[in-house]
Amino acid sequence: QISPTQTQYYLRTWTKKGILLGLKQGVYAEREHLPSEEEIANVLYAPSYLSFEYVLGKFGIIPEMSYSITSATTKSTRTFSVQEKTFFYESIKKAAFTDYTAKQHDGRTWLIAEPEKALVDYLYFVSLGRKPWNDRMRLSKLDPKKIKKYALLFERPSLVKLLSKLSL
């Protein structure tokens, strides 16, 4: 059995040699087999799922792709940087921390919001004045019933009012 001191020694040594990459304190990955950005996002700060601008860009709801990986969490809002990539986590209420799915690719798994849920997560922060309004959103692909259902989870009248302005 390896002692905690030996473990720390090996982690430091392998990180210095470039075998491991420190993602954050206590979390490492093999440099030759780095997880995807999506997997890293779920591991850095859990519980979390991919949402907001990242998902909206990925599904073509907004025309631009987010430079940072954005996720929803029930913990405090936080930001991490790993290899020049920014991972941003916004805190949402536990009742709204739902309706995300597990995606798999090459045997790897990560949690991601449905496009409708990512939109509502995003609009919640627009209604709080913490995210800018994006007037280039393409909402025609989305299911209005799902959007309304997800909006009710936040129990925020200004969010419901915002959705009615969008005719959703």
Side-chain angles (χ1 to χ4, degrees), residues 13-79:
T13 301
W14 293 339
T15 301
K16 285 179 186 174
K17 288 183 176 183
I19 297 169
L20 294 178
L21 172 66
L23 302 178
K24 73 173 189 175
Q25 186 175 350
V27 180
Y28 299 86
E30 275 187 87
R31 277 195 187 268
E32 286 190 24
H33 305 287
L34 275 180
S36 67
E37 292 173 337
E38 292 91 350
E39 286 177 284
I40 291 172
N42 282 176
V43 170
L44 280 179
Y45 205 48
S48 66
Y49 62 86
L50 296 157
S51 190
F52 308 109
E53 296 91 340
Y54 180 80
V55 174
L56 295 175
K58 190 171 186 70
F59 285 97
I61 308 304
I62 56 176
E64 60 276 344
M65 199 53 203
S66 176
Y67 287 108
S68 59
I69 308 295
T70 54
S71 297
T73 183
T74 56
K75 291 180 165 182
S76 305
T77 296
R78 290 281 304 269
T79 302

Side-chain angles (χ1 to χ4, degrees), residues 93 95-99 116-117 120-121 124 144-157 159-161 163:
K93 60 181 4 184
F97 192 82
T98 184
D99 292 295
E116 291 86 357
K117 181 63 165 78
V120 172
D121 289 349
Y124 170 70
K145 288 180 184 176
K146 283 185 178 181
I147 292 170
K148 288 176 186 169
K149 178 182 103 173
Y150 299 146
L152 294 175
L153 298 172
F154 284 95
E155 298 176 340
R156 182 152 182 87
L159 174 58
V160 174
K161 187 176 178 182
L163 290 175

Side-chain angles (χ1 to χ4, degrees), residues 56-112:
L56 295 175
K58 190 171 186 70
F59 285 97
I61 308 304
I62 56 176
E64 60 276 344
M65 199 53 203
S66 176
Y67 287 108
S68 59
I69 308 295
T70 54
S71 297
T73 183
T74 56
K75 291 180 165 182
S76 305
T77 296
R78 290 281 304 269
T79 302
F80 297 92
S81 291
V82 176
Q83 287 201 310
E84 300 177 17
K85 193 70 173 177
T86 303
F87 295 83
F88 189 67
Y89 300 82
E90 285 277 13
S91 180
I92 63 171
K93 60 181 4 184
K94 287 183 182 180
F97 192 82
T98 184
D99 292 295
Y100 50 86
T101 58
K103 293 288 183 186
Q104 290 189 322
H105 182 69
D106 291 337
R108 297 174 175 214
T109 305
W110 61 90
L111 302 176
I112 186 168

